[in-house]
């Protein structure tokens, strides 16, 4: 029944009729649907693989960038180079994320703690002792999902 209502709504929209008024949320989902299903180009900001879109950031990383959505899908837009100081900050942040992924995949508790210590946002407000305590609390909260990160 829901699919039939959606098809009816989209068909009426294609004919230029307003089937009913919908309030948009702040989520980009409705713009993606409108852009793709009705082929009405929309610009959204989305996380995508950096295939050279931001030239001076790691190509194997994920970047949030403007994307055009139309009847053919979602198309990330080339940005070019960031100012060097922003690229340095973003690259360092991306490396912290990469280190954390590696720590998780390798089930390496100490590597995860050290990664949290390298995070500039955490290090700006916490001492090394506080960061280790913070990690212990987070690991305890997630022990059902990450049992190998419990303190030995």
């Amino acid at each position: 029944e829901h699919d039939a209502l959606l098809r009816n709504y989209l068909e009426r929209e294609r004919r230029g009729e307003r089937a009913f008024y919908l309030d948009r949320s702040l989520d980009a989902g409705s713009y993606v649907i409108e852009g793709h299903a009705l082929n009405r180009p929309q610009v959204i900001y989305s996380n995508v693989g950096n295939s050279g879109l931001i030239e001076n950031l790691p190509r194997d990383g994920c970047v949030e960038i403007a994307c055009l959505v139309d009847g053919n899908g979602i198309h990330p837009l080339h940005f070019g180079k960031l100012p060097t100081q922003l690229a340095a900050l973003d690259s360092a942040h991306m490396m912290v994320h990469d280190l954390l992924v590696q720590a998780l995949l390798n089930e390496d508790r100490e590597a995860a703690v050290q990664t949290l210590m390298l995070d500039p946002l955490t290090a700006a407000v916490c001492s090394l002792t506080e960061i280790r305590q913070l990690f212990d609390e987070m690991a305890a909260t997630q022990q059902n999902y990450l049992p190998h990160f419990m303190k030995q």
Side-chain angles (χ1 to χ4, degrees), residues 71-101:
N72 294 316
I74 300 175
H75 317 283
L77 302 175
H78 182 264
F79 182 84
K81 288 187 174 184
L82 287 172
T84 303
Q85 66 274 23
L86 295 178
L89 182 64
D90 289 346
S91 292
H93 195 68
M94 292 170 80
M95 292 299 112
V96 168
H97 288 219
D98 189 53
L99 286 169
L100 184 57
V101 168

Side-chain angles (χ1 to χ4, degrees), residues 101-136:
V101 168
Q102 294 306 315
L104 289 168
L105 291 175
N106 294 324
E107 299 182 357
D108 187 336
R109 176 188 170 77
E110 191 57 29
V113 172
Q114 290 174 5
T115 298
L116 194 56
M117 290 175 174
L118 286 173
D119 177 33
L121 301 175
T122 307
V125 295
C126 295
S127 69
L128 295 179
T129 300
E130 291 170 326
I131 291 171
R132 190 170 291 280
Q133 291 169 345
L134 174 67
F135 184 88
D136 290 342

Side-chain angles (χ1 to χ4, degrees), residues 28-43:
S30 65
Y31 294 97
V32 172
I33 293 168
E34 180 179 350
H36 187 65
L38 300 175
N39 196 24
R40 290 186 190 151
Q42 305 287 322
V43 174

